[in-house]
Amino acid sequence: MRILLVEDDCLLGDGLRLGLAQAGFTVDWVKDGVAADAALAANDFAAVVLDWNLPRQDGLALLKKVRGRRDDTPVLMLTARDALDDRVAGLDAGADDFLIKPIAIAELAARLRALTRRAAGRGEPLFRHADLTLDPARRSVQLAGRPLDLSVREFDLLALLIAQPGRPLSREQIENALYGWGEEVESNAIEVHVHHLRKKLGTDWIKTLRGVGYVLKPENVA
């Protein structure tokens, strides 16, 4: 899951980036509101972790601008402000959730999973598709009750596909969702990950649609 982290404190930002990466997130990090605005206008993110106090443009002003252009990306605001009026102002401006500093990575990761789950219209924390069950919190996968050993990229790709069953995803969409800025992506990286997943799941689980992309098989297909 690719998220945008907007935090000007270098020590805190680096800790959040590393902690979220260890929790399975792909993190792009910017340090001011103007850079965040440009990043959101040019990229698709599953969620945004947004600090309130930022240089060049504060988090609340950025949030209002983003919502004003009808960008519904889930936003979790970070703040040292614990006053009720501040939280109300943030929520009314379009924030989806708040965390008061200091921050526990485990809670931040859980809140991000919950935000993206709600944004997708799901209540259940697990993804289920036919005999396949994927648990984002534990980063585990079972096929017909049997645990599967997947690499980080294989898990992330399968999570992307199972989150949107029946919807084909192009290679470009998958790359944009799985890889952050500065990460080198081999020209055949997605094809390699799909090949490895098919070996572990079964060759019929991931369908290739020529000129379109990849999709999980329909649930009613054996």
Side-chain angles (χ1 to χ4, degrees), residues 49-190:
V49 178
L50 176 64
D51 189 30
W52 187 300
N53 293 315
L54 295 169
R56 300 176 71 194
Q57 180 174 234
D58 69 43
L60 192 62
L62 171 63
L63 180 59
K64 291 177 179 178
K65 182 183 290 187
V66 168
R67 294 305 188 226
R69 61 175 181 249
R70 298 185 180 179
D71 184 336
D72 294 328
T73 304
V75 174
L76 185 153
M77 293 197 76
L78 306 179
T79 181
R81 307 172 183 229
D82 59 0
L84 175 61
D85 288 348
D86 289 331
R87 296 198 302 274
V88 170
L91 292 168
D92 282 345
D96 298 282
D97 199 359
F98 264 92
L99 266 182
I100 308 298
K101 298 176 182 178
I103 298 153
I105 290 292
E107 182 180 7
L108 176 57
R111 286 176 179 268
L112 286 171
R113 288 190 294 267
L115 282 181
T116 55
R117 194 164 63 236
R118 289 200 298 269
R122 294 190 307 107
E124 188 182 16
L126 304 181
F127 288 98
R128 305 181 193 274
H129 186 78
D131 292 335
L132 195 61
T133 302
L134 183 145
D135 185 338
R138 293 180 173 81
R139 293 186 65 81
S140 63
V141 177
Q142 291 189 349
L143 178 60
R146 176 175 59 88
L148 296 181
D149 183 17
L150 304 183
S151 72
V152 170
R153 291 299 187 201
E154 290 163 8
F155 179 91
D156 291 342
L157 173 54
L158 183 59
L160 192 64
L161 292 171
I162 201 172
Q164 305 175 76
R167 177 189 170 193
L169 297 177
S170 68
R171 186 175 74 175
E172 181 181 8
Q173 288 174 310
I174 294 170
E175 287 180 352
N176 288 340
L178 298 189
Y179 294 91
W181 300 328
E183 292 188 82
E184 292 187 10
V185 185
E186 297 291 337
S187 60
N188 66 337
I190 303 305

Side-chain angles (χ1 to χ4, degrees), residues 8-72:
D8 66 315
D9 183 309
C10 291
L11 185 62
L12 176 58
D14 194 50
L16 292 176
R17 179 180 60 83
L18 290 173
L20 288 172
Q22 290 174 353
F25 296 89
T26 297
V27 183
D28 290 324
W29 175 24
V30 296
K31 301 174 184 177
D32 66 72
V34 173
D37 191 18
L40 285 164
N43 301 272
D44 291 325
F45 296 97
V48 182
V49 178
L50 176 64
D51 189 30
W52 187 300
N53 293 315
L54 295 169
R56 300 176 71 194
Q57 180 174 234
D58 69 43
L60 192 62
L62 171 63
L63 180 59
K64 291 177 179 178
K65 182 183 290 187
V66 168
R67 294 305 188 226
R69 61 175 181 249
R70 298 185 180 179
D71 184 336
D72 294 328

